[in-house]
Amino acid sequence: AQTVTQSQPEMSVQEAETVTLSCTYDTSESDYYLFWYKQPPSRQMILVIRQEAYKQQNATENRFSVNFQKAAKSFSLKISDSQLGDAAMYFCASANAGNMLTFGGGTRLMVKP
Amino acid sequence: SQTIHQWPATLVQPVGSPLSLECTVEGTSNPNLYWYRQAAGRGLQLLFYSVGIGQISSEVPQNLSASRPQDRQFILSSKKLLLSDSGFYLCAWTRLVIDEQYFGPGTRLTVT
């Protein structure tokens, strides 16, 4: 069984600043993927970034990057140059070989102008 | 390109009434399909998943059932709704290998 934990229910960041959202996971699988999804007020789930566990290099997508620490089972999301449109719920998730997604409880990110 | 549809977008139903939510995927074949429920301010809970027509697996025993009558159609049903069935229901699909899941726009269900 997989578990995903997001220890920060809410985070706040000033516009243009950098913020890091934390996520830890536990899995017995050797082959798995990790994801960060964004859920804006529309509630549409949008993929932000993905990381294959077998890859050592941290994934990067424009202003979004991850710090993947496999031994520590940690998968944090860094948002640089925060924008008002980044305000949303962010969910960390893991997928195993059966493609079953397990989600964390979410972190609400607020961006202050 | 692939798209996923859900309807209705919103639904208000009385306790004890039946439920049918529909999800369809276009532009792909033989997808894995998933139903999730999200309570207000909470994370997503996997309810059902399907790897093929007529193949349904349940993650959480409850008042709901799912069916997959066609390759790209996934239906969530209930014979008698409970107040606790209220929530936001999301359908998702993915390819057969490990991959990201693509989510539909969701259905907001309120049971009164």
Side-chain angles (χ1 to χ4, degrees):
Chain A
Q2 300 179 98
T3 59
V4 178
T5 303
Q6 295 178 247
S7 59
Q8 306 154 316
E10 285 191 0
M11 291 285 286
S12 179
V13 63
Q14 202 70 36
E15 194 176 7
E17 298 289 304
T18 295
V19 65
T20 298
L21 308 184
S22 301
C23 173
T24 57
Y25 64 94
D26 193 14
T27 180
S28 57
E29 306 278 345
S30 58
D31 188 14
Y32 57 92
Y33 281 22
L34 297 166
F35 306 92
W36 278 99
Y37 280 89
K38 171 184 177 181
Q39 188 179 43
S42 68
R43 304 192 79 171
Q44 174 77 52
M45 293 289 284
I46 303 166
L47 180 71
V48 175
I49 199 166
R50 57 185 276 175
Q51 174 81 43
E52 293 88 337
Y54 64 85
K55 290 186 177 179
Q56 293 185 338
Q57 187 173 5
N58 289 327
T60 299
E61 287 287 344
N62 300 314
R63 298 183 294 108
F64 299 87
S65 62
V66 299
N67 183 4
F68 176 43
Q69 301 290 326
K70 192 171 184 178
K73 295 184 177 178
S74 171
F75 183 61
S76 61
L77 174 70
K78 185 172 81 171
I79 306 174
S80 304
D81 186 24
S82 297
Q83 302 175 359
L84 294 178
D86 295 333
M89 284 289 290
Y90 286 82
F91 293 97
C92 178
S94 67
N96 62 7
N99 223 353
M100 306 304 298
L101 266 184
T102 300
F103 284 87
T107 297
R108 181 176 303 280
L109 177 65
M110 295 173 284
V111 181
K112 298 178 180 178
Chain B
S1 64
Q2 301 89 7
T3 55
I4 179 169
H5 305 278
Q6 285 186 246
W7 61 87
T10 60
L11 191 59
V12 180
Q13 292 283 96
V15 168
S17 63
L19 173 73
S20 181
L21 303 181
E22 189 167 342
C23 170
T24 58
V25 180
E26 296 177 354
T28 189
S29 59
N30 198 26
N32 283 358
L33 296 171
Y34 306 82
W35 277 112
Y36 292 89
R37 177 169 61 197
Q38 184 180 30
R42 308 288 291 275
L44 278 70
Q45 177 189 36
L46 178 64
L47 301 176
F48 301 96
Y49 66 96
S50 172
V51 299
I53 296 174
Q55 300 178 62
I56 308 294
S57 296
S58 173
E59 286 295 297
V60 181
Q62 56 205 320
N63 186 42
L64 303 170
S65 62
S67 62
R68 185 170 177 174
Q70 300 180 45
D71 181 44
R72 290 169 289 177
Q73 184 184 31
F74 205 23
I75 297 173
L76 183 69
S77 304
S78 174
K79 292 182 179 178
K80 290 185 177 181
L81 282 169
L82 307 172
L83 287 175
S84 58
D85 292 324
S86 292
F88 190 64
Y89 289 81
L90 284 157
C91 181
W93 75 274
T94 190
R95 301 178 184 90
L96 296 180
V97 296
I98 299 180
D99 202 355
E100 67 178 276
Q101 290 190 11
Y102 303 89
F103 287 84
T107 295
R108 186 185 306 276
L109 172 65
T110 303
V111 182
T112 61

